[in-house]
Short mmCIF file of all heavy atoms in Angstrom, two decimals:
data_model
loop_
_atom_site.label_atom_id
_atom_site.label_comp_id
_atom_site.label_asym_id
_atom_site.label_seq_id
_atom_site.Cartn_x
_atom_site.Cartn_y
_atom_site.Cartn_z
N LYS A 1 -164.24 39.82 10.50
CA LYS A 1 -164.85 40.93 9.70
C LYS A 1 -165.70 41.81 10.53
O LYS A 1 -166.07 42.93 10.15
CB LYS A 1 -165.73 40.23 8.57
CG LYS A 1 -164.91 39.58 7.55
CD LYS A 1 -165.69 39.01 6.36
CE LYS A 1 -164.83 38.44 5.37
NZ LYS A 1 -165.61 37.90 4.21
N SER A 2 -166.02 41.44 11.70
CA SER A 2 -166.84 42.23 12.61
C SER A 2 -165.93 43.12 13.44
O SER A 2 -164.87 42.74 13.74
CB SER A 2 -167.87 41.47 13.43
OG SER A 2 -168.68 40.64 12.66
N VAL A 3 -166.46 44.20 14.07
CA VAL A 3 -165.76 45.13 14.96
C VAL A 3 -166.46 44.98 16.34
O VAL A 3 -167.72 45.14 16.39
CB VAL A 3 -165.69 46.48 14.35
CG1 VAL A 3 -165.03 47.38 15.47
CG2 VAL A 3 -165.00 46.56 13.15
N HIS A 4 -165.64 44.69 17.28
CA HIS A 4 -166.22 44.56 18.71
C HIS A 4 -165.38 45.43 19.66
O HIS A 4 -164.92 46.40 19.23
CB HIS A 4 -166.13 43.03 19.09
CG HIS A 4 -166.94 42.07 18.29
ND1 HIS A 4 -166.52 41.38 17.24
CD2 HIS A 4 -168.27 41.87 18.28
CE1 HIS A 4 -167.46 40.59 16.75
NE2 HIS A 4 -168.63 40.91 17.23
N GLY A 5 -165.35 45.03 20.81
CA GLY A 5 -164.67 45.81 21.90
C GLY A 5 -163.19 45.76 21.73
O GLY A 5 -162.61 45.01 20.90
N ASP A 6 -162.48 46.58 22.58
CA ASP A 6 -161.08 46.75 22.52
C ASP A 6 -160.21 45.48 22.55
O ASP A 6 -159.42 45.25 21.83
CB ASP A 6 -160.59 47.70 23.56
CG ASP A 6 -161.07 49.16 23.40
OD1 ASP A 6 -161.41 49.47 22.27
OD2 ASP A 6 -160.99 49.95 24.29
N TYR A 7 -160.60 44.66 23.68
CA TYR A 7 -159.85 43.41 23.75
C TYR A 7 -160.20 42.38 22.65
O TYR A 7 -159.33 41.64 22.30
CB TYR A 7 -160.04 42.77 25.24
CG TYR A 7 -159.33 43.63 26.23
CD1 TYR A 7 -159.89 44.62 26.95
CD2 TYR A 7 -157.99 43.30 26.64
CE1 TYR A 7 -159.22 45.36 27.86
CE2 TYR A 7 -157.23 44.00 27.59
CZ TYR A 7 -157.94 45.03 28.23
OH TYR A 7 -157.22 45.72 29.23
N ASP A 8 -161.32 42.41 22.21
CA ASP A 8 -161.78 41.42 21.10
C ASP A 8 -161.03 41.80 19.86
O ASP A 8 -160.40 40.91 19.26
CB ASP A 8 -163.26 41.70 20.83
CG ASP A 8 -164.08 41.62 21.97
OD1 ASP A 8 -163.87 40.98 23.03
OD2 ASP A 8 -165.30 42.18 21.96
N GLU A 9 -160.84 43.13 19.56
CA GLU A 9 -160.14 43.43 18.34
C GLU A 9 -158.72 43.21 18.53
O GLU A 9 -157.96 42.81 17.62
CB GLU A 9 -160.38 44.97 18.02
CG GLU A 9 -161.80 45.29 17.64
CD GLU A 9 -162.17 44.39 16.48
OE1 GLU A 9 -161.56 44.55 15.33
OE2 GLU A 9 -163.24 43.60 16.52
N LEU A 10 -158.13 43.44 19.70
CA LEU A 10 -156.77 43.25 20.03
C LEU A 10 -156.50 41.75 19.74
O LEU A 10 -155.47 41.37 19.20
CB LEU A 10 -156.49 43.62 21.48
CG LEU A 10 -155.07 43.34 22.02
CD1 LEU A 10 -154.65 44.46 22.93
CD2 LEU A 10 -155.02 42.09 22.77
N LEU A 11 -157.20 40.78 20.23
CA LEU A 11 -157.11 39.41 20.16
C LEU A 11 -157.15 38.98 18.60
O LEU A 11 -156.35 38.23 18.13
CB LEU A 11 -157.97 38.67 20.92
CG LEU A 11 -158.02 37.05 20.81
CD1 LEU A 11 -156.54 36.56 21.15
CD2 LEU A 11 -159.03 36.37 21.70
N LYS A 12 -158.13 39.52 17.95
CA LYS A 12 -158.15 39.19 16.52
C LYS A 12 -156.95 39.61 15.83
O LYS A 12 -156.37 38.95 14.93
CB LYS A 12 -159.48 40.02 15.92
CG LYS A 12 -160.73 39.51 16.35
CD LYS A 12 -161.81 40.36 15.77
CE LYS A 12 -163.09 40.26 16.52
NZ LYS A 12 -164.17 41.21 15.91
N ASP A 13 -156.57 40.87 16.12
CA ASP A 13 -155.25 41.42 15.47
C ASP A 13 -154.00 40.53 15.81
O ASP A 13 -153.22 40.24 14.82
CB ASP A 13 -155.03 42.82 15.80
CG ASP A 13 -156.00 43.87 15.25
OD1 ASP A 13 -156.76 43.48 14.37
OD2 ASP A 13 -156.19 44.89 15.80
N ALA A 14 -153.91 40.11 17.10
CA ALA A 14 -152.75 39.34 17.47
C ALA A 14 -152.86 37.99 16.85
O ALA A 14 -151.81 37.46 16.38
CB ALA A 14 -152.80 39.26 18.97
N ASP A 15 -153.97 37.38 16.65
CA ASP A 15 -154.20 36.12 16.04
C ASP A 15 -153.76 36.22 14.60
O ASP A 15 -153.06 35.41 13.93
CB ASP A 15 -155.66 35.67 16.22
CG ASP A 15 -155.94 34.21 15.88
OD1 ASP A 15 -154.96 33.41 15.99
OD2 ASP A 15 -157.02 33.86 15.49
N VAL A 16 -154.20 37.27 13.91
CA VAL A 16 -153.76 37.46 12.53
C VAL A 16 -152.25 37.75 12.36
O VAL A 16 -151.64 37.25 11.51
CB VAL A 16 -154.60 38.62 11.87
CG1 VAL A 16 -153.99 39.11 10.60
CG2 VAL A 16 -156.09 38.17 11.69
N MET A 17 -151.73 38.51 13.29
CA MET A 17 -150.31 38.73 13.21
C MET A 17 -149.52 37.43 13.42
O MET A 17 -148.52 37.22 12.57
CB MET A 17 -149.87 39.71 14.46
CG MET A 17 -150.32 41.11 14.31
SD MET A 17 -149.52 41.90 13.02
CE MET A 17 -147.91 42.16 13.60
N HIS A 18 -149.93 36.52 14.22
CA HIS A 18 -149.16 35.31 14.39
C HIS A 18 -149.42 34.37 13.09
O HIS A 18 -148.43 33.80 12.69
CB HIS A 18 -149.53 34.55 15.60
CG HIS A 18 -148.60 33.50 15.89
ND1 HIS A 18 -148.86 32.14 15.56
CD2 HIS A 18 -147.26 33.47 16.41
CE1 HIS A 18 -147.85 31.37 15.82
NE2 HIS A 18 -146.90 32.18 16.39
N HIS A 19 -150.65 34.42 12.56
CA HIS A 19 -150.85 33.56 11.48
C HIS A 19 -149.92 34.06 10.31
O HIS A 19 -149.28 33.34 9.52
CB HIS A 19 -152.27 33.77 10.86
CG HIS A 19 -153.33 33.07 11.80
ND1 HIS A 19 -154.65 33.41 11.70
CD2 HIS A 19 -153.16 32.20 12.75
CE1 HIS A 19 -155.28 32.78 12.52
NE2 HIS A 19 -154.50 31.92 13.23
N CYS A 20 -149.79 35.41 10.10
CA CYS A 20 -149.10 35.93 8.94
C CYS A 20 -147.54 35.93 9.16
O CYS A 20 -146.78 35.94 8.19
CB CYS A 20 -149.57 37.33 8.68
SG CYS A 20 -151.33 37.44 8.17
N LEU A 21 -147.14 35.96 10.38
CA LEU A 21 -145.63 36.08 10.72
C LEU A 21 -145.12 34.70 11.12
O LEU A 21 -143.85 34.67 11.27
CB LEU A 21 -145.33 37.07 11.75
CG LEU A 21 -145.69 38.53 11.32
CD1 LEU A 21 -145.48 39.42 12.47
CD2 LEU A 21 -144.80 38.91 10.06
N TYR A 22 -145.89 33.75 11.16
CA TYR A 22 -145.43 32.30 11.56
C TYR A 22 -144.24 31.85 10.49
O TYR A 22 -143.22 31.37 10.96
CB TYR A 22 -146.53 31.36 11.59
CG TYR A 22 -146.00 29.96 11.94
CD1 TYR A 22 -145.68 29.60 13.02
CD2 TYR A 22 -145.98 29.04 10.79
CE1 TYR A 22 -145.21 28.28 13.41
CE2 TYR A 22 -145.55 27.72 11.01
CZ TYR A 22 -145.12 27.33 12.31
OH TYR A 22 -144.62 26.10 12.60
N ASP A 23 -144.54 32.08 9.19
CA ASP A 23 -143.62 31.87 8.16
C ASP A 23 -143.83 32.88 7.12
O ASP A 23 -144.68 32.97 6.35
CB ASP A 23 -143.78 30.48 7.67
CG ASP A 23 -142.63 30.11 6.67
OD1 ASP A 23 -142.07 31.04 6.03
OD2 ASP A 23 -142.41 28.87 6.47
N THR A 24 -142.84 33.85 7.15
CA THR A 24 -143.10 35.02 6.24
C THR A 24 -142.92 34.72 4.81
O THR A 24 -143.19 35.54 3.91
CB THR A 24 -142.07 36.13 6.64
OG1 THR A 24 -140.74 35.62 6.56
CG2 THR A 24 -142.34 36.67 7.90
N SER A 25 -142.51 33.48 4.52
CA SER A 25 -142.43 33.05 3.05
C SER A 25 -143.80 32.56 2.49
O SER A 25 -144.06 32.43 1.31
CB SER A 25 -141.48 31.88 2.81
OG SER A 25 -141.89 30.76 3.53
N PHE A 26 -144.74 32.36 3.44
CA PHE A 26 -146.16 32.01 3.02
C PHE A 26 -146.87 33.25 2.63
O PHE A 26 -146.75 34.29 3.34
CB PHE A 26 -146.87 31.29 4.21
CG PHE A 26 -146.40 30.05 4.68
CD1 PHE A 26 -146.77 29.54 5.93
CD2 PHE A 26 -145.56 29.20 3.90
CE1 PHE A 26 -146.38 28.31 6.37
CE2 PHE A 26 -145.13 27.97 4.40
CZ PHE A 26 -145.49 27.53 5.62
N PRO A 27 -147.70 33.28 1.64
CA PRO A 27 -148.49 34.44 1.28
C PRO A 27 -149.59 34.71 2.39
O PRO A 27 -150.01 33.80 3.14
CB PRO A 27 -149.21 34.01 -0.05
CG PRO A 27 -149.18 32.54 -0.03
CD PRO A 27 -148.05 32.10 0.83
N VAL A 28 -149.84 36.01 2.58
CA VAL A 28 -150.83 36.34 3.59
C VAL A 28 -152.23 35.95 3.07
O VAL A 28 -152.49 36.19 1.96
CB VAL A 28 -150.71 37.93 3.83
CG1 VAL A 28 -151.89 38.39 4.66
CG2 VAL A 28 -149.39 38.32 4.37
N ASN A 29 -152.97 35.36 3.97
CA ASN A 29 -154.31 34.75 3.63
C ASN A 29 -155.11 36.04 3.20
O ASN A 29 -155.08 37.10 3.97
CB ASN A 29 -154.89 34.18 4.91
CG ASN A 29 -156.21 33.70 4.73
OD1 ASN A 29 -157.06 34.28 4.14
ND2 ASN A 29 -156.50 32.49 5.16
N LYS A 30 -155.83 35.95 2.13
CA LYS A 30 -156.60 37.13 1.58
C LYS A 30 -157.60 37.67 2.57
O LYS A 30 -157.83 38.81 2.75
CB LYS A 30 -157.35 36.50 0.33
CG LYS A 30 -158.11 37.72 -0.43
CD LYS A 30 -158.73 37.14 -1.75
CE LYS A 30 -159.49 38.22 -2.47
NZ LYS A 30 -160.18 37.71 -3.67
N LYS A 31 -158.21 36.66 3.45
CA LYS A 31 -159.07 37.13 4.45
C LYS A 31 -158.53 37.98 5.55
O LYS A 31 -159.15 38.78 6.21
CB LYS A 31 -159.83 35.89 5.04
CG LYS A 31 -160.70 35.10 4.20
CD LYS A 31 -161.46 34.08 4.79
CE LYS A 31 -160.65 33.21 5.68
NZ LYS A 31 -161.34 32.09 6.31
N GLU A 32 -157.26 37.79 5.70
CA GLU A 32 -156.55 38.44 6.75
C GLU A 32 -155.67 39.76 6.44
O GLU A 32 -155.15 40.48 7.23
CB GLU A 32 -155.63 37.46 7.54
CG GLU A 32 -156.41 36.37 8.25
CD GLU A 32 -155.63 35.33 8.98
OE1 GLU A 32 -154.46 35.15 8.63
OE2 GLU A 32 -156.17 34.87 10.07
N LYS A 33 -155.54 39.82 5.14
CA LYS A 33 -154.61 40.87 4.57
C LYS A 33 -154.90 42.33 5.09
O LYS A 33 -153.97 42.94 5.52
CB LYS A 33 -154.61 40.86 3.01
CG LYS A 33 -153.49 41.63 2.50
CD LYS A 33 -153.32 41.42 1.00
CE LYS A 33 -152.12 42.10 0.49
NZ LYS A 33 -151.26 41.32 -0.29
N VAL A 34 -156.16 42.76 5.07
CA VAL A 34 -156.50 44.13 5.51
C VAL A 34 -156.13 44.33 6.94
O VAL A 34 -155.53 45.29 7.33
CB VAL A 34 -157.92 44.45 5.08
CG1 VAL A 34 -158.34 45.78 5.81
CG2 VAL A 34 -158.14 44.51 3.67
N ARG A 35 -156.60 43.30 7.79
CA ARG A 35 -156.39 43.47 9.18
C ARG A 35 -154.80 43.40 9.52
O ARG A 35 -154.24 44.14 10.31
CB ARG A 35 -157.09 42.41 9.90
CG ARG A 35 -157.00 42.60 11.49
CD ARG A 35 -157.88 41.49 12.19
NE ARG A 35 -159.31 41.69 12.22
CZ ARG A 35 -159.88 42.40 13.00
NH1 ARG A 35 -159.30 43.07 14.02
NH2 ARG A 35 -161.25 42.65 12.92
N PHE A 36 -154.12 42.50 8.82
CA PHE A 36 -152.70 42.38 9.02
C PHE A 36 -151.93 43.72 8.62
O PHE A 36 -151.24 44.27 9.48
CB PHE A 36 -152.08 41.25 8.09
CG PHE A 36 -150.65 41.06 8.21
CD1 PHE A 36 -149.93 40.76 9.45
CD2 PHE A 36 -149.95 41.13 7.04
CE1 PHE A 36 -148.67 40.52 9.44
CE2 PHE A 36 -148.52 40.93 7.04
CZ PHE A 36 -147.91 40.68 8.31
N ASN A 37 -152.38 44.31 7.50
CA ASN A 37 -151.66 45.63 7.05
C ASN A 37 -151.95 46.72 8.01
O ASN A 37 -151.09 47.52 8.25
CB ASN A 37 -152.08 45.91 5.60
CG ASN A 37 -151.22 45.01 4.60
OD1 ASN A 37 -150.23 44.49 4.92
ND2 ASN A 37 -151.82 44.80 3.39
N LYS A 38 -153.15 46.84 8.44
CA LYS A 38 -153.60 47.85 9.46
C LYS A 38 -152.81 47.71 10.63
O LYS A 38 -152.37 48.79 11.20
CB LYS A 38 -155.13 47.79 9.65
CG LYS A 38 -155.70 48.78 10.47
CD LYS A 38 -157.20 48.64 10.71
CE LYS A 38 -157.68 49.73 11.66
NZ LYS A 38 -159.09 49.38 12.08
N THR A 39 -152.60 46.54 11.21
CA THR A 39 -151.87 46.41 12.38
C THR A 39 -150.36 46.63 12.27
O THR A 39 -149.77 47.37 12.94
CB THR A 39 -152.07 44.97 12.96
OG1 THR A 39 -153.54 44.66 13.03
CG2 THR A 39 -151.38 44.81 14.32
N LEU A 40 -149.84 46.34 11.09
CA LEU A 40 -148.45 46.72 10.78
C LEU A 40 -148.29 48.12 10.68
O LEU A 40 -147.32 48.73 11.23
CB LEU A 40 -148.06 45.99 9.43
CG LEU A 40 -147.68 44.54 9.45
CD1 LEU A 40 -147.39 44.01 8.11
CD2 LEU A 40 -146.67 44.11 10.47
N GLN A 41 -149.28 48.86 10.15
CA GLN A 41 -149.27 50.39 10.04
C GLN A 41 -149.21 50.92 11.43
O GLN A 41 -148.45 51.82 11.81
CB GLN A 41 -150.30 50.85 9.19
CG GLN A 41 -150.28 50.65 7.71
CD GLN A 41 -151.49 51.04 6.90
OE1 GLN A 41 -152.51 51.49 7.45
NE2 GLN A 41 -151.40 50.82 5.64
N GLU A 42 -150.14 50.40 12.27
CA GLU A 42 -150.34 50.80 13.61
C GLU A 42 -148.94 50.81 14.39
O GLU A 42 -148.59 51.66 15.10
CB GLU A 42 -151.40 50.12 14.37
CG GLU A 42 -151.42 50.38 15.86
CD GLU A 42 -152.47 49.44 16.54
OE1 GLU A 42 -153.13 48.65 15.92
OE2 GLU A 42 -152.47 49.59 17.75
N LEU A 43 -148.16 49.69 14.11
CA LEU A 43 -146.96 49.50 14.83
C LEU A 43 -145.78 50.18 14.18
O LEU A 43 -144.67 50.08 14.72
CB LEU A 43 -146.65 47.90 14.93
CG LEU A 43 -147.66 47.12 15.69
CD1 LEU A 43 -147.36 45.69 15.58
CD2 LEU A 43 -147.61 47.60 17.24
N GLY A 44 -146.04 50.89 13.02
CA GLY A 44 -145.01 51.61 12.38
C GLY A 44 -144.15 50.71 11.43
O GLY A 44 -143.04 51.08 11.15
N CYS A 45 -144.54 49.54 11.17
CA CYS A 45 -143.83 48.50 10.37
C CYS A 45 -143.87 48.85 8.90
O CYS A 45 -142.91 48.50 8.08
CB CYS A 45 -144.18 47.19 10.66
SG CYS A 45 -143.88 46.63 12.38
#
């Protein structure tokens, strides 16, 4: 929920991406949904 430096944010986003894409049949964790969607938008997905 906090915003830090570039590599800190990159690692948080990557961690969330893996959590959410490990099994796409699982619902996205509510705590990770905003970060996940923002990263998907960034990647053009």
Side-chain angles (χ1 to χ4, degrees):
K1 290 184 179 180
S2 300
V3 177
H4 297 99
D6 291 340
Y7 286 91
D8 309 333
E9 292 306 299
L10 178 142
L11 178 55
K12 292 176 202 179
D13 292 342
D15 195 24
V16 165
M17 290 292 288
H18 193 264
H19 292 162
C20 295
L21 295 175
Y22 176 76
D23 186 334
T24 56
S25 70
F26 294 163
V28 174
N29 183 314
K30 187 176 177 182
K31 296 186 308 185
E32 296 182 327
K33 191 169 188 135
V34 170
R35 188 177 282 274
F36 178 60
N37 286 335
K38 184 178 174 190
T39 306
L40 288 177
Q41 287 173 359
E42 175 186 352
L43 295 172
C45 297

